[in-house]
Each structure stands twice: as structure tokens, then as C-alpha cells.
Amino acid sequence: MIGSNAGNERTPAWSYNLQADPDAEIEIRGSRKLVRARVADGEERAELWRKVNEMYEGFDDYDAKTSRDIAVFVLEPR
């Protein structure tokens, strides 16, 4: 998950929630799963950032619009 908020200077509220309580429930195609979130950093973040930009080029544009670091979250099964 990418905390881009479309490049706005304000971090999306949901990302603060995940950092405060990383245990979450997600729904993908009608199937619910329990996950634990963590913020990627270093080489892992760089690789994930590259991959999400292959799927949607807009993330680089969002990054250029803001001075904040956009969080990249990894959701792992619990």
C-alpha cells in the first residue's frame, strides 16, 4: 500500500492508523484477510516503489509534488 494521498502535503490519515496499530483486516475481491502492516525502507522500499510505478506511473508524479516521504507499506498475513 502506498501512502501517497495523491501527492498532497498531508499524509493520509489511514497511514497514521496503520503505524499506530499495524494489525488490520483487508478485503480483496470479497475475501477478508488479517494482516500486519509495516513501513518498507531502504532497498526494499526502492524495489517496491519501482514495482508500483510499473503498474501506475502516477506515483512518481505524486512524489514530485510533495516534500514529504511517501510511505510504502508491506502487508503481511497474520
Side-chain angles (χ1 to χ4, degrees):
M1 291 181 54
I2 310 298
S4 68
N5 200 16
N8 290 306
E9 283 300 317
R10 297 183 80 184
T11 299
W14 63 260
S15 69
Y16 290 121
N17 293 340
L18 275 182
Q19 289 179 49
D21 182 5
D23 290 336
E25 182 177 6
I26 60 171
E27 184 174 337
I28 301 172
R29 296 184 182 127
S31 177
R32 293 179 174 260
K33 299 182 187 305
L34 298 176
V35 296
R36 175 161 289 145
R38 64 179 174 80
V39 178
D41 60 4
E43 289 182 28
E44 180 186 37
R45 185 200 184 280
E47 178 65 14
L48 292 171
W49 187 262
R50 184 188 63 75
K51 286 180 178 182
V52 298
N53 273 282
E54 287 176 359
M55 293 184 284
Y56 175 68
E57 295 174 3
F59 287 115
D60 276 337
D61 294 336
Y62 297 159
D63 190 46
K65 286 174 50 178
T66 186
S67 62
R68 67 181 173 85
D69 291 329
I70 295 176
V72 177
F73 290 88
V74 177
L75 303 180
E76 298 172 320
R78 290 195 272 148

